[in-house]
Amino acid sequence: MLKEIKQTAEVAGYLWEKGWAERNGGNITVNITESLDSATKALPAIAGPFPIGNTLPHLKGCFFYCKGTQKRMRDLARDPMSAGSIIRICADCSSYEIIAEQPVMPTSELPSHLSVHDYLLAKGSPYRASLHTHPIELVALTHSRKWMEKDVATRMLWSMIPETKAFCPRGLGMVPYMLPGSIELADATIKAIDDDYDVVMWEKHGVFAVDTDIMSAFDQVDVLNKAALIYIASRNMGFEPEGMTDAQLKELTTAFNLPK
Ligand code: 13P
Ligand code: ZN
């Protein structure tokens, strides 16, 4: 099995264990174009073509492993090819077909995932994986106007423990509530990523993260949610956490050569 698919199964198991993947919650897509052999690439379609809902010029002939819609992460962890499938983007750049192994329809969030992959390729980014999941504490933050303000949650999360800024150096973007699976949500997600975030919150819904591979995308969400847990633990102990100072965060930024 392809290493990217094995790694996706491992991450799906972590998502379930963390309680972030109730029922069919969350989805993963990985651009596997560079890892597939030519025989697999030449496989005939077993289903499709199906419309994407968007035209994505940089994805022509690309291949993705996608979690299936309504499929469970905990099932994907055990058997990735029954809870997901490999798709090929057609020459028209606006439709896809399923080539392996079973005709499992991809996630309902495909428009957001593929639009972001198109944007990343256009930019020459090395990022090949995108993750949408429902991390409890980060989602809870988005139920407050205060934390939805630009970079207010980022500042708080970074200040909880130095590793947060070191390993999620672009912070947490915020996207106001939009219908799951919609093109509007896809466009707003790209805009937030373009504003220089690797991880963005979908208000009252979940997180969307991109990175070189799916383990790294998971790690970014994991460090952010850990920081949220430290904030909550302090509040539960009866005090507002002090947080690292601006000077301490600045020192860290310089020492680790972080972007902002
Ligand atoms: P899918 O089962 O279609 O992937 O949807 C899960 C989800 O989290 C939608 O936002
Ligand atoms: Zn969701």
Side-chain angles (χ1 to χ4, degrees), residues 5-121:
I5 299 179
K6 268 194 209 149
Q7 196 182 55
T8 300
E10 185 180 344
V11 167
Y14 300 151
L15 297 174
W16 166 248
E17 285 163 17
K18 284 193 160 285
W20 298 354
E22 74 293 343
R23 198 176 183 275
N24 61 308
N27 27 76
I28 291 174
T29 64
V30 185
N31 184 342
I32 53 173
T33 312
E34 290 146 355
S35 300
L36 281 187
D37 56 45
S38 46
T40 309
K41 284 184 177 172
L43 283 174
I46 55 172
F50 304 102
I52 298 168
N54 244 355
T55 302
L56 303 167
H58 303 95
L59 296 190
K60 186 175 179 171
C62 282
F63 295 80
F64 294 86
Y65 171 77
C66 306
K67 193 207 80 155
T69 187
Q70 294 296 326
K71 298 295 184 189
R72 297 178 182 88
M73 287 293 179
R74 62 183 190 265
D75 292 337
L76 196 157
R78 276 186 294 106
D79 187 2
M81 295 316 292
S82 73
S85 56
I86 297 174
I87 65 167
R88 174 170 53 219
I89 308 300
C90 300
D92 64 4
C93 302
S94 58
S95 56
Y96 67 90
E97 48 199 15
I98 303 173
I99 62 155
E101 288 177 359
Q102 300 167 35
V104 175
M105 288 301 288
T107 171
S108 58
E109 302 289 4
L110 199 65
S112 284
H113 282 268
L114 291 185
S115 300
V116 167
H117 283 293
D118 184 73
Y119 163 83
L120 292 170
L121 287 185

Side-chain angles (χ1 to χ4, degrees), residues 22 24-27 109 132-134 180 202 205-206:
E22 74 293 343
N24 61 308
N27 27 76
E109 302 289 4
H132 162 59
T133 185
H134 301 165
W202 290 347
H205 179 172

Side-chain angles (χ1 to χ4, degrees), residues 199-222:
V199 189
V200 301
M201 290 309 299
W202 290 347
E203 181 184 330
K204 302 182 183 103
H205 179 172
V207 70
F208 192 95
V210 290
D211 211 317
T212 48
D213 57 42
I214 201 66
M215 193 64 75
S216 306
F218 167 77
D219 281 337
Q220 292 211 49
V221 180
D222 195 26

